[in-house]
Amino acid sequence: MSAITATGWLLRPKVTHLPPPTIANQSRTIKFMHWGGNKDLKLSEPTVLSVDELLKQSPKIKPQVGYNSQRGGLAASSIFGDESTEVAATESSMGAFSTIHIRDPNREHWAWPKRATAREVRRRGRLTKREMLLQTEKEHLAKSHMFKTSVKKLAPIARQIQGKKIEDAIIQMRFSPKGAARDVLGHLYAARNESVVRRKMDPEQTYIEQAWVGRGTYEVEHNHRARGRIDMLKLPYTSITVVLKEQVTRDRIAKEKEDKRLRKKPWEQLPSRPLVGQTQYYRW
């Protein structure tokens, strides 16, 4: 590089600021290696807006769901041309959502009677089979608290007392060698007393129709082993539920089974049926 060229390079004018940008939307498409765009370079003409026009433009506000973003107007011959419709538009918009967000505080007093009355009208006063049985037969369900035992140990006890009278089940639990029998005995006493007080059931005629167990939570305990090791034990909790009914229910079920057996047609070894699909060729 010569000395004159170096001197001109050092003494070149420095650019301290950039030209102000214009408000324009430009789009160009360039073709490179026969891919994309048109043959010629396209530039859209810049759109320059003044400051007053920019201030007059409304901001981009997203309309809320359910509200009308466009506002209507009045005819020139309307007598309400001089009045403002801002209040009316607000009231109509709020009225559309008043039934959604506002709830009747006395709903619990009239909602259930309304549904019950509608059900009676729909059935025309007819009762279901279970409702008719509950009017003549007594039933009591009793669920125990959680026992510190497993389902594997409590399920055989539930199968043992199912179908027995309440007094016979109590005797079975009194002389049972199983550890969970003592907890079940206390629950049977409580279930018998509840059925007498609440349902006015006769303990001499009461029997256990159903008995099942339910799994509960677990309790974590530590089992200390040798050399400082500790095992985490998960001790389960289980509950038992019994359904008590009277002898009247058992007699009705036995009578229904007998009536069903009598209605059944006698068995025939070769019933008389019409023969169809007979041909002179074998089917196998």
Side-chain angles (χ1 to χ4, degrees), residues 92-270:
S92 61
S93 302
M94 291 300 296
F97 290 86
S98 60
T99 57
I100 301 177
H101 299 285
I102 300 176
R103 186 177 180 180
D104 188 3
N106 299 325
R107 180 182 177 85
E108 61 275 4
H109 298 291
W110 57 263
W112 165 247
K114 181 180 178 181
R115 291 196 300 268
T117 305
R119 189 182 301 112
E120 292 295 332
V121 172
R122 184 168 57 253
R123 294 181 181 177
R124 297 193 296 272
R126 296 174 297 181
L127 302 177
T128 61
K129 182 179 179 180
R130 176 170 177 80
E131 291 175 349
M132 290 187 295
L133 292 178
L134 290 177
Q135 291 181 353
T136 57
E137 301 176 2
K138 299 177 182 179
E139 177 183 346
H140 179 67
L141 186 143
K143 180 179 179 181
S144 68
H145 61 278
M146 292 295 174
F147 303 145
K148 195 173 182 179
T149 182
S150 63
V151 175
K152 184 178 179 180
K153 297 178 181 179
L154 196 59
I157 298 179
R159 290 192 293 267
Q160 180 182 359
I161 64 177
Q162 184 178 0
K164 290 184 173 61
K165 290 187 176 181
I166 186 68
E167 299 295 340
D168 297 342
I170 290 175
I171 294 175
Q172 290 284 338
M173 294 297 101
R174 284 179 57 189
F175 298 97
S176 177
K178 297 182 179 181
R182 182 175 300 177
D183 297 330
V184 177
L185 177 62
H187 175 59
L188 292 180
Y189 278 129
R192 184 188 62 179
N193 298 337
E194 289 178 0
S195 64
V196 173
V197 174
R198 298 182 181 179
R199 307 297 180 184
K200 308 298 181 181
M201 300 174 64
D202 186 6
E204 299 294 334
Q205 301 293 330
T206 304
Y207 75 100
I208 302 175
E209 186 196 31
Q210 300 180 31
W212 65 86
V213 298
R215 193 184 302 274
T217 58
Y218 290 89
E219 180 184 357
V220 180
E221 288 190 0
H222 304 283
N223 183 20
H224 297 272
R225 305 296 300 275
R227 298 183 180 181
R229 290 178 298 179
I230 300 178
D231 294 343
M232 305 298 291
L233 302 180
K234 295 179 63 177
L235 305 180
Y237 281 83
T238 315
S239 64
I240 184 172
T241 306
V242 295
V243 178
L244 304 181
K245 292 188 178 182
E246 291 185 334
Q247 187 65 26
V248 179
T249 304
R250 179 178 288 182
D251 297 341
R252 176 185 57 81
I253 295 175
K255 186 177 182 303
E256 289 179 355
K257 290 183 178 180
E258 183 65 18
D259 295 343
K260 183 178 180 180
R261 186 186 66 84
L262 295 176
R263 288 194 304 268
K264 189 177 181 180
K265 296 181 180 180
W267 178 78
E268 298 178 3
Q269 184 176 4
L270 296 175

Side-chain angles (χ1 to χ4, degrees), residues 36-50:
N38 299 328
K39 295 182 179 180
D40 302 331
L41 183 63
K42 295 183 179 180
L43 294 177
S44 60
E45 296 182 359
T47 304
V48 181
L49 301 177
S50 62

Side-chain angles (χ1 to χ4, degrees), residues 9-40:
W9 176 263
L10 295 175
L11 297 178
R12 74 186 189 280
K14 297 182 180 181
V15 180
T16 57
H17 63 277
L18 296 176
T22 59
I23 303 175
N25 296 325
Q26 300 181 1
S27 63
R28 64 176 64 184
T29 56
I30 303 176
K31 184 177 180 182
F32 178 75
M33 295 297 292
H34 301 283
W35 287 93
N38 299 328
K39 295 182 179 180
D40 302 331

